[in-house]
Amino acid sequence: MNVAELIFTLRLRALDVESFAFGFRPFGLLLKTGDVIGINFNSYEDGVREPFGLTDEVTIGAGRYRYHDVAPYINTFRGRRLQLEFSPRWGTFFGGRKVTYATTITANFSKHFNVEVDHTWNELRFAATGEAPATRLETNELALYPTYTFTTNLTVSVFAQWNSLNEFVRINARLHWIPRIGTDLFLVLDQSHDTSDRFDLWMPRSRSLVGKLVWRFVF
């Protein structure tokens, strides 16, 4: 830590700042094709007042934590039929080390229908401390966003997400209808599933149906 970082950290602590994040992008390149590549350097500081369980195997103790990561990225032109966003990330994390690979693929099948798929893979490593053994934790998150636009006034979209750490699936389906300018009707079906045993689409752990009507008046 240099003198400037030390002074800045002391000021943060004097102000009792709970969390702080800073990002620096020294390089970014926009190609004629519309593709973008670059790299980010990020720094964080978090003040943990009480220990909390990050997972069943990992507990973060009270204290102040400074950690950093580096994240190169590549994003292809969004106007293409098939578009890719990819960003790996390597760094420290609450006294351990973290590696992340985040990938987004968007397929534009037509002017009416597109599908976006997000996948994030994380690996966390914590060294042995006291009676706690060394820990390695791997997680996967997968999200699916299909959207169909019948007309400019009627759209159906679905958000489905799976998390391997919580063994949890959430599905959210939304219908958005604009009968006339200034009026919006939303119908949302939301349900969740526990995947620790067996996934059954028709037997959710919870389910709800919500409607919302927005009607604007002009005086």
Side-chain angles (χ1 to χ4, degrees), residues 140-142 159-171 190-196 199 205-206:
N140 284 277
E141 296 180 6
L142 182 65
F159 167 69
Q161 185 181 45
W162 167 70
N163 185 303
S164 65
L165 181 62
N166 299 324
E167 297 182 319
F168 178 81
V169 170
R170 180 184 179 187
I171 301 174
D190 187 270
Q191 62 185 50
S192 62
H193 300 262
D194 185 349
T195 60
S196 58
F199 176 75
R205 185 173 65 180
S206 65

Side-chain angles (χ1 to χ4, degrees), residues 7-197:
I7 293 174
F8 189 65
T9 300
L10 291 174
R11 288 178 177 174
L12 283 179
R13 294 179 180 178
L15 293 173
D16 195 25
V17 176
E18 182 174 314
S19 298
F20 171 79
F22 173 76
F24 173 58
R25 181 177 299 174
F27 170 78
L29 185 62
L30 174 61
L31 306 178
K32 288 184 177 180
T33 57
D35 302 329
V36 180
I37 59 175
I39 188 169
N40 293 319
F41 293 90
N42 305 295
S43 295
Y44 312 88
E45 180 164 345
D46 280 291
V48 179
R49 299 184 178 181
E50 297 181 0
F52 68 93
L54 188 63
T55 67
D56 293 338
E57 299 85 6
V58 179
T59 298
I60 304 300
R64 294 202 72 88
Y65 295 86
R66 287 177 58 88
Y67 48 100
H68 315 272
D69 62 46
V70 55
Y73 61 91
I74 178 170
N75 301 332
T76 60
F77 177 50
R78 293 196 65 87
R80 291 179 180 164
R81 183 64 61 90
L82 190 65
Q83 192 259 338
L84 170 70
E85 297 179 15
F86 177 66
S87 178
R89 188 182 294 259
W90 303 276
T92 53
F93 183 76
F94 284 103
R97 301 201 63 83
K98 182 179 180 181
V99 178
T100 299
Y101 294 104
T103 306
T104 299
I105 299 175
T106 303
N108 298 301
F109 294 98
S110 70
K111 65 179 182 180
H112 296 285
F113 182 54
N114 67 75
V115 177
E116 181 178 304
V117 181
D118 292 341
H119 177 255
T120 302
W121 177 84
N122 293 293
E123 181 192 61
L124 298 174
R125 291 182 181 269
F126 293 90
T129 56
E131 297 180 356
T135 304
R136 177 185 177 275
L137 179 67
E138 180 179 325
T139 66
N140 284 277
E141 296 180 6
L142 182 65
L144 181 68
Y145 308 85
T147 301
Y148 194 91
T149 303
F150 294 92
T151 67
T152 55
N153 296 335
L154 181 61
T155 302
V156 174
S157 59
V158 176
F159 167 69
Q161 185 181 45
W162 167 70
N163 185 303
S164 65
L165 181 62
N166 299 324
E167 297 182 319
F168 178 81
V169 170
R170 180 184 179 187
I171 301 174
N172 182 286
R174 186 183 77 163
L175 181 145
H176 180 200
W177 179 39
I178 308 174
R180 68 177 189 178
I181 301 300
T183 304
D184 295 90
L185 174 65
F186 298 91
L187 289 178
V188 180
L189 173 65
D190 187 270
Q191 62 185 50
S192 62
H193 300 262
D194 185 349
T195 60
S196 58
D197 182 19

